[in-house]
Amino acid sequence: TIAVTNTFQQVFPASTSAVGRTGCTIQNTGTNPMYVFFGATADATIAKSIKIIAGQPAFCDNNNTIIKTAVKITGTATETYYASQQ
């Protein structure tokens, strides 16, 4: 659940192990748009994020390269999202 409107919160930490993350899915299960950011919280802005509308997913894969940075999300407080990491 989004805790605070327009404040990024962590979904997954950065993957630092040798094997690490092999994929992830974040899906907006709410009704308002959400924004997913890959990277450090200090750098997170809506302008640098991926917008996902209701029902839409975002993935930790960019042209067959797994993104291993931290994953953050923001949106409207009390809206829900689904997150899974492999």
Side-chain angles (χ1 to χ4, degrees):
T1 303
I2 301 293
V4 179
T5 300
N6 294 331
T7 300
F8 282 90
Q9 63 191 52
Q10 184 166 279
V11 178
F12 301 119
S15 177
T16 57
S17 70
V19 176
R21 178 184 301 142
T22 59
C24 80
T25 302
I26 302 97
Q27 182 175 18
N28 181 347
T29 56
T31 57
N32 293 299
M34 293 182 186
Y35 299 86
V36 177
F37 179 80
F38 297 94
T41 302
D43 298 330
T45 66
I46 288 175
K48 295 178 185 176
S49 301
I50 298 168
K51 180 180 181 179
I52 53 175
I53 60 172
Q56 185 178 24
F59 304 98
C60 293
D61 181 324
N62 184 17
N63 294 322
N64 296 319
T65 299
I66 303 301
I67 301 167
K68 297 195 176 197
T69 61
V71 180
K72 313 290 183 183
I73 194 167
T74 192
T76 304
T78 73
E79 292 278 300
T80 60
Y81 63 91
Y82 166 82
S84 173
Q85 177 175 240
Q86 298 80 41

